[in-house]
Amino acid sequence: MMSSPTPGKRQHIVDTAYALFKRDGFHATGIDRIIAEADIAKMTMYRHFPSKDELIVEVLEHRALRFERQLDRLAQEVATPEQKIGKIFDWHERWFRSADFHGCLFAHALAEFGDPGHPVFKAVARQKNGFKQRMQSILEKVMAPKQAESAAAALLMLIEGATLMAQMGLPAIDDARKAAAAVIASARTPQ
Amino acid sequence: MMSSPTPGKRQHIVDTAYALFKRDGFHATGIDRIIAEADIAKMTMYRHFPSKDELIVEVLEHRALRFERQLDRLAQEVATPEQKIGKIFDWHERWFRSADFHGCLFAHALAEFGDPGHPVFKAVARQKNGFKQRMQSILEKVMAPKQAESAAAALLMLIEGATLMAQMGLPAIDDARKAAAAVIASARTPQ
DNA sequence: TAGGTGTGAGACAGACCTGTCTCACCACTG
DNA sequence: CAGTGGTGAGACAGGTCTGTCTCACACCTA
């Protein structure tokens, strides 16, 4: 039949766009550069994605899914909530040290698409909410839902802040880890 | 002599550019829109600023100076370090609630100018470092320098994270405040 | 009034942007 | 071999980008 699009090609576009968006930003990365780097025709791209914005959303959603899978895998490796949270910080520390670390793509997307009605904005909000919910679920094993939500929000803020610091070359993951321990200890014993 | 440029005009350009950058981002805001909004000629702008990048740096430095002045004024209003930090959180809470809040302009600049060698990147790093140093100085009144540096980093991360959450419409300043209290309490009594 | 100087307005250049369109090609089917 | 439908390559359109240039005007001094 030969009518189905090459399965790997769509993913190849997403991966190539991801690498360019991460390094240079969204507005600064043109379609021409994406198709040149991916070595495809422009029409191929526009047949897969109706617009650049939808490509951006797809890139974000793909990375969000990948991140969540890694998170779940990490959480299953250890037993206690403290250990699971520790694994999350470990993962971020390795990320910060990786060669092509350029900060959080979702935070960058939020910076460039600040309109709450924009699909990119919504994709970012989904990812951050999902991350927070996952940490909250972990914490609920050792504290009340209300404390867990508050602590999860604090952990998310610490991690977002640590990512920003890392992008500026200021290593602060150890401080974030210590602060997280203090927050969790405080939430465990609310008195 | 009439040879000096109108003093208020340069500042008017900076203010207008600031409002547009804040709302729409840096790459998405063109020079044409800035001069139209400021109601000036293009040559007037390029006579004051050699390039758009230098205008961006000037906007950032102006906002950084303004922020530092407000911070110092707030710190002088109260006596104890805890109260000074509390004032900083109060200030951010008011900022988050303001009508034209669109997130942290410096974080957005970092997202769009990720090259560490770029002047915009350096301007952002200066601002964040200055903010951290100020909080560290406050905390050193009640804890050792090493603990103060660690705690200041944690507070900075919490505030950056809270700003990001606020931009997504998730109010988390109260959680950040609680986490900050836990961090400071923990740093005050180490072991 | 005449001269000189800094300034504003907008045309212009050259590059880039997103998105569309045409056309040749290629594999498979009958 | 003839037909057909999906696909790749690149030209093209219309707009926007940054930055430069020309020219006329306003203002002050002598």
Side-chain angles (χ1 to χ4, degrees):
Chain A
M1 217 46 90
M2 195 42 198
S3 67
S4 65
T6 317
K9 194 133 286 192
R10 183 185 181 90
Q11 191 56 45
H12 176 59
I13 297 172
V14 170
D15 291 340
T16 305
Y18 163 66
L20 293 173
F21 288 153
K22 181 175 68 167
R23 198 177 35 146
D24 300 330
F26 297 95
H27 284 101
T29 299
I31 294 287
D32 288 346
R33 194 124 111 263
I34 295 171
I35 65 167
E37 199 83 11
D39 198 37
I40 55 163
K42 187 176 275 194
M43 267 314 286
T44 306
M45 207 220 90
Y46 275 99
R47 212 170 283 124
H48 282 287
F49 306 97
S51 69
K52 183 185 177 183
D53 282 4
E54 303 210 24
L55 171 61
I56 294 173
V57 169
E58 182 116 346
V59 167
L60 292 177
E61 282 178 347
H62 177 253
R63 299 310 296 188
L65 197 66
R66 195 181 145 96
F67 175 68
E68 286 177 2
R69 277 199 296 253
Q70 286 176 307
L71 222 62
D72 289 343
R73 186 172 50 76
L74 285 176
Q76 287 172 356
E77 290 179 1
V78 289
T80 73
E82 276 84 355
Q83 286 173 321
K84 291 179 198 293
I85 299 296
K87 283 280 185 185
I88 293 177
F89 277 85
D90 292 343
W91 183 91
H92 278 83
E93 184 166 4
R94 283 196 306 275
W95 180 37
F96 297 164
R97 292 188 200 278
S98 68
D100 59 345
F101 170 71
H102 290 88
C104 176
L105 192 72
F106 296 92
H108 295 178
L110 202 66
E112 294 201 48
F113 299 89
D115 175 14
H118 197 285
V120 170
F121 185 102
K122 293 176 181 169
V124 173
R126 277 197 300 276
Q127 193 266 344
K128 294 300 174 203
N129 254 312
F131 185 25
K132 185 188 161 198
Q133 290 298 325
R134 266 170 163 72
M135 290 196 290
Q136 183 173 340
S137 299
I138 291 171
L139 293 173
E140 276 174 356
K141 303 284 183 192
V142 289
M143 57 184 79
K146 203 175 165 189
Q147 268 80 24
E149 181 175 4
S150 187
L155 295 188
L156 178 57
M157 288 186 275
L158 284 170
I159 289 173
E160 295 300 325
T163 305
L164 201 124
M165 303 276 281
Q167 195 187 352
M168 290 189 298
L170 306 175
I173 184 70
D174 289 339
D175 298 325
R177 210 188 290 262
K178 275 193 284 185
V183 166
I184 293 176
S186 167
R188 256 174 176 275
T189 59
Q191 67 236 11
Chain B
M1 217 49 87
M2 197 41 199
S3 67
S4 65
T6 318
K9 195 134 282 189
R10 183 186 181 90
Q11 191 55 46
H12 176 59
I13 297 173
V14 170
D15 291 341
T16 305
Y18 164 67
L20 292 173
F21 288 153
K22 181 175 66 168
R23 199 180 33 150
D24 300 330
F26 297 95
H27 284 101
T29 300
I31 294 287
D32 287 347
R33 193 123 113 267
I34 295 172
I35 65 168
E37 198 84 12
D39 198 37
I40 56 163
K42 187 176 276 195
M43 267 313 287
T44 305
M45 208 221 91
Y46 275 101
R47 212 170 284 125
H48 281 287
F49 305 97
S51 70
K52 184 184 178 183
D53 282 4
E54 302 210 24
L55 170 62
I56 294 173
V57 170
E58 182 116 346
V59 167
L60 292 177
E61 282 179 347
H62 177 252
R63 300 309 298 186
L65 197 66
R66 195 182 146 97
F67 175 68
E68 286 177 3
R69 276 200 295 253
Q70 286 176 306
L71 222 61
D72 289 343
R73 188 172 49 75
L74 285 177
Q76 287 172 356
E77 289 179 1
V78 290
T80 73
E82 275 84 356
Q83 286 174 320
K84 292 179 198 290
I85 299 296
K87 282 280 184 184
I88 293 177
F89 277 85
D90 292 343
W91 183 91
H92 278 84
E93 184 167 4
R94 284 198 305 275
W95 180 37
F96 297 164
R97 291 189 202 280
S98 68
D100 58 347
F101 170 71
H102 290 89
C104 175
L105 191 72
F106 296 91
H108 295 179
L110 202 66
E112 294 201 48
F113 299 88
D115 175 14
H118 198 285
V120 170
F121 185 103
K122 292 176 183 171
V124 173
R126 276 198 299 276
Q127 194 266 345
K128 294 301 174 203
N129 253 312
F131 185 25
K132 186 188 160 199
Q133 289 299 325
R134 255 158 230 272
M135 289 197 290
Q136 184 172 339
S137 298
I138 291 172
L139 293 173
E140 276 175 357
K141 303 284 185 193
V142 290
M143 57 183 79
K146 203 175 164 186
Q147 268 81 25
E149 180 175 4
S150 188
L155 294 188
L156 178 57
M157 288 185 276
L158 284 170
I159 289 173
E160 295 300 325
T163 306
L164 201 126
M165 304 276 281
Q167 194 187 351
M168 290 189 299
L170 306 175
I173 184 70
D174 290 339
D175 298 325
R177 211 188 289 264
K178 274 193 285 184
V183 166
I184 293 176
S186 168
R188 256 173 176 279
T189 60
Q191 85 235 349

